[in-house]
Amino acid sequence: MKVLITGGAGFIGSHLCSKFVNTGNEVICIDHLGTGSLNNIEDLGKTGRFKFMQKDVTKDLDDIEKVDLILHFASRASPSDYQTNSFDTLLANSIGTFNLLKKAQKDSARFLFASTSEVYGKAEVIPTPETYYGYVNSFGPRSCYDESKRFGEALCYEFIHKFNIDCRIVRIFNTYGPHMRYNDGRVMTNFIMQALDNEPITIYGDGKQTRSFCFVDDLIEGIYTLATKKELNGEVINIGNPEEVTILELAKKIVKVTNSKSKIIFKDLPMDDPPQRVPDITKAKKLLNWSPKIKLETGLAKMIEWMKE
Ligand code: UDP
């Protein structure tokens, strides 16, 4: 199979490139390198089944050859980064998704859109199933990400129903692992960096807000099955780890595991920061026979080792 992966030099995209190359597929990776890094994909060229093109998904994609599957992962995903680069985020998920859906139509290719748990906003139903419509602020600092992902999903819906394109949507919950940008402002990398440097650990708000963190290897298995299994056209599936932790507990765990001298300090909570986030993964279990295998302790140890390097 020939697979186009957008954002393929980024955190999740680069792991997907490896997965598809290692399972015998031919991969074309495109990335505008706004946040992606060639280091993440440096070994893949040797296989002879991997090609990189520096490209922006919002621009002309006509010179990309015909493919069988498109995975659209080109978007910033860290709140501090997507807010700084809000137009890049808005356009990658709107114009970029439209351009890639048109390519899927032209190539008769399957399409998988990387959506997010942020489409649920400040969810009132926890754990959150795919049927929950969301409680999202359309006019605030997180809107560039939340609403452009929601718009991307709406585009998929129209291409499925008007043009019969085989589209699938993954709603990704908090994920961590190697190839994350150590300075992109997300909680996992911030806390580990701070702990390793014995700097204060910066908790936003009182730290009682929760997240549930999925190690990237688990996530990739779920996405691979969603992308490759037959008869999943039109399915929207949460992929994440339901093991919930407060941000304060996470900080304490990281201080302990790294044997750090860091103190914990509290800063203002950013606007619209969701107080609780946990995926309901019943659908992924049923349709993909998928559930995460890697516990937070195990994943944290791997992540810390990688960040030390
Ligand atoms: N957070 C924090 N300190 C940091 C970075 C983030 O307390 O240095 C909090 C943030 O306010 C949020 C949670 O950790 O409640 C997760 O933030 P992140 O930016 O990783 O992504 P989000 O899950 O909000 O999309």
Side-chain angles (χ1 to χ4, degrees), residues 105-132:
Q105 185 182 18
K106 187 166 131 224
D107 293 359
S108 302
R110 183 179 288 167
F111 185 84
L112 186 144
F113 180 55
S115 186
T116 167
S117 55
E118 295 229 16
V119 300
Y120 302 127
K122 284 192 182 184
E124 299 148 303
V125 181
I126 303 284
T128 311
E130 293 84 351
T131 47
Y132 180 66

